[in-house]
Amino acid sequence: ADSPALKRRYFFGTNAPFDARERFQQSVKAWCDELCLRLDEAGIEYEQTLVWGRHLEGSLSSAIQGEGDAWLILINAHSHMTQQYRAIVRHSRVPTLVLYGKPWGTRISLVAAVDPVHEHDVPRVKDVRIVEWAKFLAGKLRGNVMILHSCFVPAYLASYRNKIESHHRENIRDFVEENDFERLAHSVIAGDPAVTLRQYVLKNHTDVLAMGSVARGFLDRDVIGSTTENMLADAPCDLLLVSDQH
């Protein structure tokens, strides 16, 4: 009801656009009231703010500013990630948990997908944050975490496959030891991450896949990574998307 055409009522009666907006807002408020009732029954403290408008990511950024890791954004995407939701993922400095309505197991299983070998993340800041947030969520939900790395070897380097995969396994071991993650299971799988991560998640009935939200590298700061984009388009499970920004 905010577009110029609708405001000028080209296709509707005098009050039709405003009535439709009012009905929609009332339905959203009713849904929020039901959610708040359940939170009250569970004894969970919360604050509720309803924001109306197109640029939700801007409103969230203003609310979150200065809060840092005290925030976790939840998106109830069902089976469709809208462009507005993607904008939130792209620009958010705090983790985003995208829920697709898939049932979780009795004991929550989380996979932290990391790439400590990536040339644009030598300090491994993003990977540490991915694992730390997966651990945080697992602790709250009494689940377990697996650190997983997918090693992709292009066809033209096939003759060096064993050496490359050995190098990746060594880097994962170093990453685990350097960051005191020895208590967590870790593994290296071979293949394109967009394919192998999906296969692993489905085969092992993973409930939440934690991964980076944007592409690595300074120039790509606000571009969703290709593997993440692939998962958002057809998620095999719920996603915990983590930025390397504080």
Side-chain angles (χ1 to χ4, degrees):
D2 292 329
S3 69
L6 293 183
K7 285 182 177 179
R8 288 193 292 268
R9 309 176 190 90
Y10 287 166
F11 307 108
F12 297 94
T14 303
N15 296 317
F18 305 101
D19 292 342
R21 180 169 61 185
E22 180 67 21
R23 288 194 298 271
F24 172 74
Q25 291 181 346
Q26 288 299 326
S27 69
V28 172
K29 290 176 182 176
W31 181 88
C32 289
D33 289 342
E34 176 65 23
L35 175 61
C36 291
L37 179 61
R38 295 186 182 185
L39 293 173
D40 289 335
E41 292 173 348
I44 298 175
E45 296 183 5
Y46 63 91
E47 293 182 9
Q48 177 187 353
T49 302
L50 294 178
V51 178
W52 307 104
R54 294 181 178 181
H55 304 291
L56 181 57
E57 69 277 10
S59 300
L60 277 173
S61 297
S62 298
I64 292 170
Q65 189 173 8
E67 296 290 342
D69 286 348
W71 277 74
L72 173 65
I73 296 175
L74 272 69
I75 293 178
N76 189 6
H78 295 290
S79 59
H80 179 59
M81 273 293 287
T82 65
Q83 289 303 316
Q84 190 176 51
Y85 287 158
R86 278 180 162 79
I88 293 173
V89 171
R90 213 167 37 241
H91 300 297
S92 176
R93 293 176 175 269
V94 302
T96 304
L97 179 59
V98 185
L99 304 174
Y100 289 90
K102 302 176 186 295
W104 289 355
T106 305
R107 184 171 178 80
I108 308 303
S109 172
L110 294 97
V111 166
V114 299
D115 189 9
V117 189
H118 200 288
E119 62 180 343
H120 290 300
D121 190 19
V122 176
R124 300 171 175 176
V125 173
K126 177 179 289 187
D127 292 312
V128 172
R129 279 175 56 80
I130 290 171
V131 177
E132 290 291 355
W133 268 98
K135 286 175 57 182
F136 171 80
L137 194 59
K140 293 295 183 181
L141 301 175
R142 299 180 181 178
N144 55 68
V145 178
M146 158 71 81
I147 298 176
L148 189 65
H149 171 64
S150 184
C151 173
F152 174 63
V153 180
Y156 68 91
L157 292 176
S159 58
Y160 299 95
R161 181 181 304 277
N162 291 339
K163 185 175 182 179
I164 293 173
E165 290 180 353
S166 176
H167 172 68
H168 280 242
R169 285 192 293 270
E170 182 179 340
N171 269 269
I172 286 295
R173 286 194 297 269
D174 291 343
F175 171 74
V176 168
E177 293 175 2
E178 290 170 2
N179 295 285
D180 298 322
F181 295 146
E182 288 94 337
R183 293 186 179 182
L184 303 179
H186 62 276
S187 181
V188 176
I189 54 179
D192 183 347
V195 176
T196 55
L197 288 178
R198 182 182 303 278
Q199 291 174 341
Y200 183 93
V201 162
L202 293 173
K203 180 179 179 180
N204 293 276
H205 307 289
T206 300
D207 297 303
V208 179
L209 174 63
M211 59 195 308
S213 59
V214 295
R216 302 183 189 230
F218 180 80
L219 295 177
D220 295 326
R221 183 70 68 190
D222 291 331
V223 177
I224 297 177
S226 58
T227 302
T228 303
E229 185 63 64
N230 183 283
M231 294 296 175
L232 286 172
D234 184 21
C237 65
D238 294 336
L239 303 174
L240 176 61
L241 305 177
V242 182
S243 166
D244 59 352
Q245 302 179 61
H246 293 271

